[in-house]
Amino acid sequence: MDSIELKRFWEKVKEELIGTLPESVHPWIYSLEVSGFDKDMLTVVTGQAMARDWLRKNHTEQINSIIRKLSKNTNAQINIIYDLNAAKQIKKETEKIHKKEVEKQLKEQAMENLSYMQSYANLNLKYKFENFVVGPNNKFAHAAAMAVAKKPAGKYNPLFIYGNAGLGKTHLMQAIGHYTIFNNPKLKVKYTKTDDYINDFISNSRKTNNSVENMAKFNKKYTDIGIILIDDIQFLESKEKSMERMQHTFDTLYNKGKQIVITSDRLPTEIPKLTEALASRFQMGLMVELTPPDFDTRKEIVKKLAADNDIKAEEDALNYIAKNFSNNVRELEGAFTKVCAYAEINNKNFTLSLAKEVLKCKENEKNLTFNTITNVTSSYCKVDINDIKGTARNQKVSVARQLAIYLCRELTNQSFEAIGEFFNKKHTTIMYAYEQIKNKVNTDKELAIDIREIKQALKVI
Ligand code: ADP
Ligand code: MG
């Protein structure tokens, strides 16, 4: 028995003693502090000599039988010692343990409540802000989600998050939910997938023939809350009745001053047959886009995956994965998990050669050089390669140079120093050029098209 178990055992014994022995001896029972249970001997200490004498003389048999019953040891017996100082000391320790236990219990209880609330709200425990890696592609969406979580129904209502599949829309949306449950537990959170909403609506209509009473019940289910998270709203496409109902839900929530967060894989205007009324409601608050992460962010994501799962992966293996899965974070994670699984099953280390063997990415065989990248950029931009590598500063040349530098960094993951050597420039100049493009790539549509076309010419996408 460790000391906590011993204290617990003694608490049980004491409880039975109080229930069995006459009230006149209760104060003496309370004066007993447990100090050890060695072999068959349960030793207790008291600071009152009378307690020891009286209990020993009159109740030894009763005490022993209770101890034997509770410890399931038929030879167990009590040994009462009188020692004022020891009794005081043990009492102090017991109080300390008791306080710790109570605190621990309270904490466990709180955690249980939280995870109950989280599962009730229908959230995935992984999708929290702490687990979301912020990069240039998502920093605006992340900041907006954070602002909504901190101050629901404030400036951004509704918050409309859009972007291609696998870029973190659901993650970011649910992060708002977790944050709220943790920091603002009185506010009720509901996460619903749009197709679940539609199915619920249809089955409810069938069962109840749209009776007013039942529709009101349905409505209440989606509006009697503080924050609603509606995922993948594009599934509303062409479903007129469901759109009508959604508009109702939206208006009720909005008018009650509740926060609405919506995700979609496209803009409201691109959802087939979405009513004008709904489209304009969705655009009323703030719309934020998620775009594919750049190399550094992808690297950060796989590094975090390795750290969180306690996996020792070779740096080059992580680079290889980050380099080859660039359009979709879900696929990036999938590639990482696949290599992990393979390493574990075959009892191998997570190395670059294993990653190559498992993932067999085509691009890797390509091994692009600075020269090829710069050549292709030069002919795409119609700027001579010598000018790109030279010092001319006119607009056209500067842009081509920045593009070539950006692509060299993105596609080869070589250091700024190495790129600088190739371009005959200082690494700080290279870094600056790279940052210029990186900062614009998510907002400047034409630039994004240029990059995509050069990448296509290089056959990396
Ligand atoms: P979407 O809803 O846009 O299709 P998800 O939110 O389901 O995408 O994200 C797909 C996977 O990628 C999830 O496992 C998610 O945790 C992960 N993910 C996406 N973006 C990030 C990020 N910035 N940091 C960490 N993980 C991310
Ligand atoms: Mg999603």
Side-chain angles (χ1 to χ4, degrees):
M1 268 189 211
D2 67 19
S3 69
I4 291 184
E5 280 167 353
L6 181 64
K7 304 266 180 211
R8 282 202 188 122
F9 174 71
W10 175 243
E11 283 304 313
K12 275 196 223 149
V13 173
K14 215 155 66 174
E15 205 180 296
E16 286 231 359
L17 288 175
I18 296 295
T20 324
L21 301 184
E23 220 171 284
S24 55
V25 304
H26 287 184
W28 287 332
I29 305 282
Y30 285 123
S31 79
L32 303 177
E33 299 291 344
V34 68
S35 86
F37 197 176
D38 283 328
K39 300 206 178 74
D40 301 331
M41 190 73 82
L42 179 71
T43 306
V44 295
V45 183
T46 172
Q48 299 176 24
M50 272 288 280
R52 175 197 57 186
D53 297 342
W54 186 269
L55 292 172
R56 252 192 204 167
K57 192 162 162 232
N58 300 296
H59 300 293
T60 299
E61 271 322 301
Q62 278 161 300
I63 299 175
N64 283 346
S65 82
I66 288 173
I67 295 171
R68 284 170 193 163
K69 187 176 81 181
L70 293 177
S71 68
K72 300 195 177 74
N73 172 356
T74 48
N75 296 321
Q77 51 178 313
I78 189 89
N79 175 27
I80 306 176
I81 296 174
Y82 163 64
D83 183 331
L84 189 56
N85 285 338
K88 272 190 194 155
Q89 183 63 26
I90 296 173
K91 193 162 185 228
K92 245 205 234 152
E93 277 165 20
T94 308
E95 276 164 5
K96 223 157 89 190
I97 289 178
H98 184 67
K99 205 169 144 216
K100 260 203 199 140
E101 281 262 284
V102 169
E103 276 167 12
K104 197 170 143 217
Q105 265 179 18
L106 282 176
K107 210 163 146 198
E108 276 169 9
Q109 182 81 36
M111 292 313 285
E112 240 170 59
N113 281 348
L114 270 176
S115 62
Y116 169 76
M117 275 163 68
Q118 269 153 337
S119 67
Y120 185 78
N122 206 4
L123 304 177
N124 179 334
L125 279 173
K126 180 188 157 226
Y127 294 168
K128 296 183 176 167
F129 281 122
E130 300 93 281
N131 300 327
F132 193 82
V133 176
V134 183
N137 63 310
N138 59 29
K139 68 167 190 253
F140 192 47
H142 174 264
M146 208 42 156
V148 162
K150 287 193 170 153
K151 195 166 184 300
K155 274 191 288 188
Y156 310 133
N157 199 18
L159 176 65
F160 191 94
I161 305 170
Y162 68 102
N164 287 342
L167 294 182
K169 300 184 295 294
T170 302
H171 188 139
L172 211 45
M173 158 180 264
Q174 293 205 4
I176 299 175
H178 287 296
Y179 186 96
T180 307
I181 287 171
F182 204 85
N183 295 288
N184 199 354
K186 286 207 183 101
L187 213 60
K188 230 163 104 185
V189 177
K190 186 175 179 74
Y191 166 84
T192 182
K193 292 186 181 138
T194 301
D195 39 9
D196 289 344
Y197 177 91
I198 295 171
N199 291 335
D200 195 16
F201 168 62
I202 294 174
S203 79
N204 193 63
S205 310
R206 270 203 206 113
K207 268 197 297 224
T208 65
N209 282 331
N210 288 335
S211 80
V212 176
E213 194 186 316
N214 277 297
M215 264 308 143
K217 233 192 226 165
F218 173 86
N219 226 19
K220 197 163 185 286
K221 189 159 142 195
Y222 290 93
T223 57
D224 207 7
I225 37 196
I227 297 190
I228 193 159
L229 311 169
I230 309 173
D231 208 359
D232 287 321
I233 201 81
Q234 75 273 5
F235 289 124
L236 267 186
E237 69 164 77
S238 312
K239 302 194 177 63
E240 282 170 30
K241 284 269 180 311
S242 298
M243 285 185 201
E244 232 174 72
R245 183 49 41 192
M246 181 62 85
Q247 190 176 324
H248 223 86
T249 304
F250 186 103
D251 287 348
T252 312
L253 285 164
Y254 192 81
N255 292 332
K256 281 201 211 167
K258 308 298 181 186
Q259 177 70 46
I260 302 160
V261 183
I262 300 168
T263 70
S264 170
D265 70 356
R266 64 200 87 165
L267 284 164
T269 44
E270 291 163 354
I271 301 174
K273 300 207 178 129
L274 187 74
T275 59
E276 189 72 31
L278 267 181
S280 69
R281 280 164 173 75
F282 293 166
Q283 296 173 70
M284 224 156 57
L286 181 69
M287 311 229 291
V288 286
E289 184 179 12
L290 287 173
T291 52
D294 60 10
F295 175 80
D296 290 338
T297 312
R298 299 199 298 276
K299 177 75 192 291
E300 205 49 49
I301 292 174
V302 283
K303 253 170 102 171
K304 192 165 165 32
L305 278 174
D308 290 350
N309 294 291
D310 233 349
I311 283 161
K312 286 193 184 48
E314 226 176 58
E315 180 94 13
D316 284 346
L318 296 182
N319 282 338
Y320 176 80
I321 297 173
K323 197 161 122 195
N324 286 296
F325 293 83
S326 55
N327 294 321
N328 182 317
V329 184
R330 191 175 293 123
E331 285 170 10
L332 180 72
E333 283 187 348
F336 175 87
T337 310
K338 197 166 162 187
V339 180
C340 274
Y342 200 90
E344 195 178 315
I345 292 165
N346 295 292
N347 209 5
K348 289 183 170 179
N349 289 333
F350 196 124
T351 58
L352 174 61
S353 67
L354 184 78
K356 281 184 179 172
E357 185 188 331
V358 176
L359 300 169
K360 298 188 181 70
C361 301
K362 275 195 220 103
E363 296 97 294
N364 194 59
E365 290 150 20
K366 196 164 215 64
N367 233 342
L368 285 173
T369 60
F370 297 150
N371 209 22
T372 321
I373 297 170
T374 313
N375 255 321
V376 171
T377 310
S378 137
S379 50
Y380 178 85
C381 298
K382 300 194 178 59
V383 171
D384 193 284
I385 188 159
N386 292 320
D387 287 338
I388 290 189
K389 291 176 76 176
T391 50
R393 286 167 175 268
N394 74 59
Q395 169 84 5
K396 199 169 165 195
V397 176
S398 297
V399 171
R401 186 181 297 134
Q402 287 181 350
L403 270 174
I405 290 172
Y406 172 81
L407 286 165
C408 283
R409 168 75 176 173
E410 278 290 299
L411 299 175
T412 68
N413 184 40
Q414 294 280 326
S415 67
F416 290 120
E417 280 83 0
I419 303 172
E421 225 166 90
F422 177 78
F423 285 91
N424 309 312
K425 308 255 175 328
K426 278 198 257 174
H427 84 275
T428 44
T429 313
I430 300 295
M431 239 156 99
Y432 178 77
Y434 172 75
E435 296 290 336
Q436 287 292 304
I437 300 287
K438 190 170 158 180
N439 290 336
K440 273 192 278 189
V441 75
N442 290 307
T443 46
D444 184 335
K445 288 239 150 68
E446 272 174 38
L447 185 66
I449 291 170
D450 289 340
I451 290 175
R452 185 167 344 130
E453 290 190 353
I454 300 173
K455 280 187 177 171
Q456 269 163 359
L458 285 165
K459 303 203 169 51
V460 291
I461 46 175

